[in-house]
Amino acid sequence: VQLQASGGGLVQAGGSLRLSCVAAGRTFSTSGMGWFRQAPGKEREFVAAVTWSGQDTYYSNSVKGRFTISKDNAKTTAYLQMNSLKPEDTAVYYCSLLSSFKPPISRNFGQGTQVTVSS
């Protein structure tokens, strides 16, 4: 399954962005989806996950209450709504199919999208 993330950009602290991840492949509707991010000089880290149905979600403590993950199986698209952005949210964001929801384990990563939050 090919994944293409988009929606990143430059935003001021306190602002919002909505990331999208379009999947090309048949397994999207039966797979959980996750978002991960990698900041310069740091390892890739988990951000958020959603089950195949979209009914259950799971967030890292650093984004809980600010970010919302969702997926639209009809559009084979996953989303990450990011509100109250902070400079420490600056990173390249990647979407992924999940082989496990909890703990969130990536099956494959798509191309990332850069998010930069200025102070």
Side-chain angles (χ1 to χ4, degrees):
V1 176
Q2 289 186 326
L3 303 171
Q4 180 65 55
S6 62
L10 174 64
V11 64
Q12 288 189 330
S16 299
L17 283 174
R18 187 195 195 201
L19 305 184
S20 298
C21 174
V22 179
R26 296 181 180 180
T27 60
F28 179 87
S29 62
T30 58
S31 297
M33 292 293 296
W35 286 93
F36 297 75
R37 67 186 181 187
Q38 187 167 19
K42 295 187 177 181
E43 292 187 354
R44 190 174 296 178
E45 65 174 2
F46 166 73
V47 175
V50 62
T51 54
W52 68 272
S53 65
Q55 289 188 335
D56 293 310
T57 57
Y58 175 49
Y59 299 92
S60 68
N61 288 335
S62 61
V63 307
K64 194 177 298 181
R66 300 187 297 122
F67 292 10
T68 302
I69 187 172
S70 61
K71 69 191 301 262
D72 185 332
N73 287 334
K75 296 182 178 179
T76 65
T77 302
Y79 304 96
L80 185 69
Q81 177 67 43
M82 306 186 296
N83 298 329
S84 303
L85 283 161
K86 305 175 181 179
E88 51 263 45
D89 294 319
T90 295
V92 178
Y93 283 70
Y94 300 88
C95 59
S96 172
L97 294 178
L98 298 178
S99 57
S100 169
F101 178 63
K102 282 188 179 181
I105 298 175
S106 171
R107 186 190 305 175
N108 66 312
F109 287 108
Q111 283 189 313
T113 184
Q114 176 71 47
V115 171
T116 303
V117 184
S118 63
S119 58

